[in-house]
Amino acid sequence: MKNNILFLGPPGAGKGTQASIISEFNSCLHLSTGELLRNEVKLESDLGLQVKEIMNSGELVSDELVLEIVKKNLTNNNKGWILDGYPRNLSQASSLNEVLAKLNQPLEIVFYLNVNEEILVERLLNRGRSDDNELTIRKRLKIYNETTQPLIGYYEKQNILEYIEGNRDLNKISDDIKQKMAL
Ligand code: AP5
């Protein structure tokens, strides 16, 4: 069973939704950098105050700040972990390799959730988070296409990438993921 997992995909692809389902299924750690950052904003901590505007504009928070959060929250876990929203660029992927080497827990499988852009926009507008307005969504999609998408090829070359069609019923997607984790 592969339990050290990364969910990759554009905003609204269902990374958080599937990561929650799978982490409940195998009792592993679910680490969402977006969720951790939103908690800091809610707490109005120094970090939260630093990142609030950046997140609302749809830009990425600095690699250094995000790495600090990942180091604090990603622990060696015998049930494994799911990374959701990290890494988001090649530099973050390389920092992650160093963190995982220290934990002695390599990434085993990357699920790339693919969903058509117009469906993504519709889903996010319906959700209505503070960064889910049309302008910010378009910005997040642009940054995803320019900065995060190269990670697909990066993990494909390592032979750990699994393509998942994300415009389907939630349960069909998680069944597909569970099946691939078991291979
Ligand atoms: P983050 O929270 O990671 O947001 P995101 O990547 O834009 O992803 P979303 O949460 O919008 O989408 P998702 O794929 O998780 O979909 P979800 O399951 O929620 O990041 C937010 C911000 O934080 C960034 O913009 C950046 O500023 C900062 N940040 C975070 N990580 C960072 C990093 N590593 N580096 C720098 N900055 C970072 O689903 C979306 C909606 O669709 C929901 O309403 C859901 O119910 C619905 N849905 C899901 N699946 C389905 C389905 N199969 N059918 C129908 N509806 C579905």
Side-chain angles (χ1 to χ4, degrees):
M1 190 79 156
K2 297 183 181 83
N3 286 322
N4 300 335
I5 301 167
L6 162 63
F7 279 103
L8 201 60
K15 303 180 295 295
T17 303
Q18 292 301 327
S20 297
I21 296 173
I22 300 298
S23 63
E24 207 162 298
F25 163 72
N26 66 357
S27 310
C28 74
L29 174 76
H30 173 191
L31 194 150
S32 157
T33 44
E35 211 46 59
L36 290 166
L37 288 165
R38 275 186 292 280
N39 279 341
E40 296 292 332
V41 172
K42 215 184 285 170
L43 291 170
E44 298 185 335
S45 67
D46 285 348
L47 173 62
L49 294 173
Q50 269 186 74
V51 300
K52 186 176 177 182
E53 289 313 313
I54 303 173
M55 292 176 75
N56 280 337
S57 73
E59 298 279 351
L60 292 183
V61 170
S62 79
D63 291 349
E64 292 73 22
L65 284 181
V66 179
L67 179 59
E68 221 173 282
I69 287 188
V70 170
K71 280 184 177 162
K72 214 191 294 175
N73 289 280
L74 184 58
T75 49
N76 185 301
N77 189 324
N78 60 7
K79 297 233 161 101
W81 33 257
I82 299 178
L83 299 174
D84 155 18
Y86 184 88
R88 264 176 143 95
N89 57 36
L90 290 164
S91 153
Q92 291 186 4
S94 133
S95 301
L96 175 65
N97 287 341
E98 289 170 25
V99 173
L100 296 182
K102 281 193 190 132
L103 290 184
N104 207 13
Q105 275 198 315
L107 180 58
E108 294 171 305
I109 192 159
V110 178
F111 291 110
Y112 163 48
L113 288 166
N114 186 39
V115 177
N116 167 289
E117 198 151 308
E118 288 320 303
I119 293 172
L120 295 173
V121 175
E122 194 186 309
R123 280 187 188 179
L124 294 174
L125 286 175
N126 282 333
R127 182 177 62 182
R129 211 166 67 190
S130 67
D131 57 346
D132 285 341
N133 57 76
E134 179 115 28
L135 192 71
T136 306
I137 293 169
R138 296 281 174 202
K139 179 71 162 287
R140 284 157 63 200
L141 286 168
K142 185 169 184 284
I143 292 179
Y144 169 80
N145 288 329
E146 290 171 359
T147 312
T148 310
Q149 223 175 20
L151 291 176
I152 296 169
Y154 176 82
Y155 289 118
E156 208 164 28
K157 274 194 204 127
Q158 298 176 25
N159 283 321
I160 53 172
L161 190 91
E162 290 288 346
Y163 175 93
I164 304 283
E165 173 47 55
N167 186 25
R168 287 183 292 164
D169 172 78
L170 289 180
N171 298 316
K172 290 224 169 72
I173 299 173
S174 30
D175 285 349
D176 199 3
I177 290 170
K178 287 175 194 167
Q179 210 172 38
K180 290 187 156 89
M181 284 164 64
L183 289 177

